[in-house]
Amino acid sequence: VKKKIFAANWKMNKSFKEAQSFCQSVKAALSSDFYNSAEVFIFPQNFSLAAVAEGASNTSIQFGPQQIHKESKGAFTGENSLDLAIVLGSKICLIGHSERRQFFAETDELVNHKIKLCQSQQVRPVFCIGETLAQREQNQTEKVCEEQLSRGLFGVDKQKNMVIAYEPVWAIGTGKVATNEQVKSVHQFIFEKMTGWGFTDFQILYGGSVKADNAKELISIPYVDGFLIGGASLEAESFINICQA
Ligand code: PGA
């Protein structure tokens, strides 16, 4: 049985101290039993990655950067090195979030490079895909998801664990959650594509306005292996409530 994944994406929020106290709260609230059936991921802003590394020590909490450069080190002023995140203990990395695609012009090709870099360093990529509202209204959802998947995963190792996060762009930070039917149908589509392409070890997370009060229903939808949570992951209490759903 696959473990459910509860992933916090803090985006550009949370200081070093806030990150430490969040970890303390999660540590106190989730027993070691919880981790038998679930995984907790935290994606802090880079200046707080070390705080999470410290706060997560001696726990099963995993953490990693929200964005990395496609080269692991070198003369790239201002960029984030996967190698250095690994030194802090990162075993996961968020790749291709829609905000990166939208505001920082990340292409499928760049996303593909980054996934390959993660795989070469034994880091699990959490690879985000999802359609915009206009694309959904034009019935392009499956086409868009398939393109993002096939381009992002071009030439990657299919035996290595891959976490896909399906996040409809129109549901991110808007309070508009996809319906159960919409979630099920896209997740099933992704599952069948991945299986058909020969991927043997993957999970599919849903993201987009996940809250404590809709988590229970969403987690029971077939093919939903967990969540990527933005806004509701900023307060330890609401994040813990979602994990306990
Ligand atoms: P949200 O963000 O939970 O605030 O909608 C999700 C995400 O961007 O990963």
Side-chain angles (χ1 to χ4, degrees):
V1 186
K2 284 186 206 168
K3 290 185 179 185
K4 300 286 184 200
I5 296 173
F6 299 93
N9 173 15
W10 289 347
K11 309 194 178 183
M12 208 166 69
N13 299 289
K14 277 205 181 295
S15 68
F16 200 91
K17 274 215 165 101
E18 289 165 340
Q20 283 175 319
S21 95
F22 183 98
C23 291
Q24 285 310 318
S25 305
V26 171
K27 213 165 157 173
L30 302 177
S31 69
S32 55
D33 274 0
F34 172 82
Y35 296 100
N36 293 331
S37 57
E39 297 184 280
V40 170
F41 290 0
I42 302 179
F43 296 107
Q45 203 278 340
N46 278 311
F47 295 120
S48 301
L49 189 63
V52 175
E54 190 186 285
S57 61
N58 302 316
T59 75
S60 302
I61 298 170
Q62 297 182 61
F63 55 87
Q66 297 170 3
Q67 120 75 4
I68 47 155
H69 189 67
K70 72 178 168 74
E71 304 299 333
S72 58
K73 60 172 75 149
F76 302 103
T77 301
E79 273 296 338
N80 305 313
S81 155
L82 180 64
D83 274 15
L84 301 187
I86 292 171
V87 170
L88 288 176
S90 298
K91 295 197 170 65
I92 54 173
C93 183
L94 200 58
I95 309 269
H97 189 279
S98 67
E99 286 152 17
R100 299 295 315 167
R101 296 175 186 262
Q102 197 182 338
F103 305 133
F104 303 96
E106 285 204 11
T107 60
D108 292 324
E109 194 193 1
L110 184 56
V111 164
N112 178 249
H113 274 286
K114 294 182 183 190
I115 293 176
K116 287 177 175 161
L117 175 64
C118 285
Q119 285 197 330
S120 74
Q121 309 291 58
Q122 317 308 326
V123 167
R124 290 165 75 188
V126 178
F127 165 34
C128 306
I129 62 165
E131 82 288 0
T132 63
L133 185 58
Q135 289 165 333
R136 175 162 285 272
E137 284 170 346
Q138 289 155 19
N139 285 322
Q140 304 277 296
T141 299
E142 291 189 351
K143 180 173 171 278
V144 168
C145 289
E146 180 171 351
E147 271 175 14
Q148 290 178 343
L149 276 177
S150 66
R151 292 175 183 166
L153 296 175
F154 180 75
V156 308
D157 185 339
K158 296 178 182 178
Q159 318 295 322
K160 286 194 171 149
N161 179 258
M162 178 70 55
V163 183
I164 308 289
Y166 169 59
E167 299 202 301
V169 177
W170 48 272
I172 295 178
T174 57
K176 280 187 211 149
V177 191
T179 65
N180 292 3
E181 242 346 281
Q182 288 170 329
V183 173
K184 177 171 177 263
S185 123
V186 180
H187 278 237
Q188 181 168 0
F189 177 77
I190 296 168
F191 179 88
E192 285 166 1
K193 283 286 158 205
M194 293 293 287
T195 308
W197 289 333
F199 284 86
T200 51
D201 180 14
F202 62 93
Q203 290 97 337
I204 310 169
L205 314 184
Y206 169 77
S209 298
V210 175
K211 304 272 180 302
D213 58 11
N214 58 26
K216 204 170 182 140
E217 203 175 330
L218 287 166
I219 202 74
S220 64
I221 299 173
Y223 308 103
V224 173
D225 301 313
F227 303 130
L228 182 58
I229 309 147
S233 76
L234 291 176
E235 294 300 328
E237 197 188 326
S238 76
F239 180 69
I240 290 161
N241 286 338
I242 294 171
C243 293
Q244 288 171 337

